[in-house]
Amino acid sequence: QVQLVESGGGLVQAGGSLRLSCAASGRTFSSWTTGWFRQAPGKGREFVSGISRSGGNTLYAHSVKGRFTISRDNAKNTVYLQMSSLKPEDTAVFYCAASWVTYPGTDRAQYNYWGQGTQVTVSS
């Protein structure tokens, strides 16, 4: 089992940057593929990015590719999401999730554990 805590959200102007962090408990964090999802008001939870256990494989939603970068530091039990060139449509609650699968995927159902989320608001 793993507990996930997100941080780093906030209010930023369009074009700005934020870095989200997902801190995990447990000594086996390197065994988990990790993903970021987001949920805007009135919309479903959508995949943003994912990273494999070692960090060697990454996956991005088309809407964020080239603007967001996912990374992980297994020694610190932390996954990061660096977000740049933010747009008002990026406004959402961002969630970190962990999965036993080998490679990151876009399907929510493959992720076993979720954090509580952190709010990101991008003003125009």
Side-chain angles (χ1 to χ4, degrees), residues 15-96:
S17 299
L18 282 175
R19 188 177 79 158
L20 305 184
S21 299
C22 173
S25 64
R27 293 177 295 175
T28 59
F29 178 65
S30 59
S31 300
W32 298 89
T33 284
T34 310
W36 287 97
F37 287 74
R38 66 186 180 185
Q39 187 165 13
K43 295 187 177 180
R45 195 169 297 188
E46 65 172 2
F47 174 81
V48 175
S49 182
I51 189 166
S52 61
R53 301 162 183 172
S54 66
N57 288 276
T58 58
L59 183 66
Y60 295 93
H62 177 74
S63 59
V64 307
K65 200 166 187 178
R67 300 189 297 123
F68 292 8
T69 302
I70 192 170
S71 61
R72 69 188 298 157
D73 185 340
N74 286 338
K76 295 183 178 180
N77 283 5
T78 303
V79 172
Y80 305 98
L81 185 68
Q82 178 67 49
M83 305 186 295
S84 303
S85 301
L86 283 162
K87 305 174 182 179
E89 51 263 44
D90 293 317
T91 295
V93 177
F94 281 70
Y95 297 90
C96 177

Side-chain angles (χ1 to χ4, degrees), residues 100-118:
W100 279 118
V101 300
T102 302
Y103 299 107
T106 63
D107 186 355
R108 286 181 53 184
Q110 79 174 71
Y111 292 85
N112 307 95
Y113 297 99
W114 294 81
Q116 294 300 306
T118 185

